[in-house]
Amino acid sequence: MQSTLIRRAGLAIATVAIGTTATLVAAPAALASAPAQAPTALAAKNTCPTWTVHGKGVNFRTGAGTGYRAIGQLYTGDSGTKVGSSGSWIKIKLDHKSRTGLKSGTTGWVSKSYLAQCVYMQLD
């Protein structure tokens, strides 16, 4: 009885091994026959206009540089629509009143290092 079980177990393992080998052998052939897809979707430029602040007390300036006057400060979660850029600076128009009380629609410059651009998601 025990030898029958061992033979059946051996047969099952051999069947799985043969099936796996056949699958591995067939996989490259299947991949070779599939048309190559260009990675253009992955290389597409992010065109989302919204930028969100990720920092505490980030200066919101009148111009693109630290030499310009700060008109207020922004905190994590404050966001705006990009209306311009210059080097590593982004000019944004606030989408809503900031946490520090700057009015919605106020425009100013923020260093890109304190901003994160939204990312569109494709939901198919």
Side-chain angles (χ1 to χ4, degrees):
M1 171 96 173
Q2 189 175 21
S3 63
T4 304
L5 288 175
I6 293 172
R7 274 185 276 166
R8 287 185 182 168
L11 181 60
I13 291 171
T15 303
V16 170
I18 291 170
T20 303
T21 303
T23 302
L24 292 174
V25 170
L31 289 175
S33 65
Q37 293 180 352
T40 54
L42 296 176
K45 184 176 178 182
N46 186 2
T47 59
C48 183
T50 303
W51 292 73
T52 303
V53 175
H54 61 86
K56 297 178 181 178
V58 175
N59 285 321
F60 196 49
R61 299 185 177 275
T62 58
T66 57
Y68 290 89
R69 181 178 61 85
I71 56 175
Q73 292 187 330
L74 301 175
Y75 284 83
T76 299
D78 287 332
S79 64
T81 302
K82 178 181 174 182
V83 293
S85 66
S86 177
S88 63
W89 291 81
I90 304 293
K91 185 176 185 179
I92 61 172
K93 180 178 178 181
L94 295 178
D95 293 335
H96 57 275
K97 184 178 177 181
S98 74
R99 291 179 52 192
T100 58
L102 294 170
K103 293 181 181 179
S104 174
T106 304
T107 58
W109 294 84
V110 180
S111 173
K112 195 173 185 178
S113 61
Y114 297 107
L115 295 172
Q117 187 178 13
C118 69
V119 178
Y120 287 126
M121 292 176 57
Q122 183 175 352
L123 303 173
D124 287 344

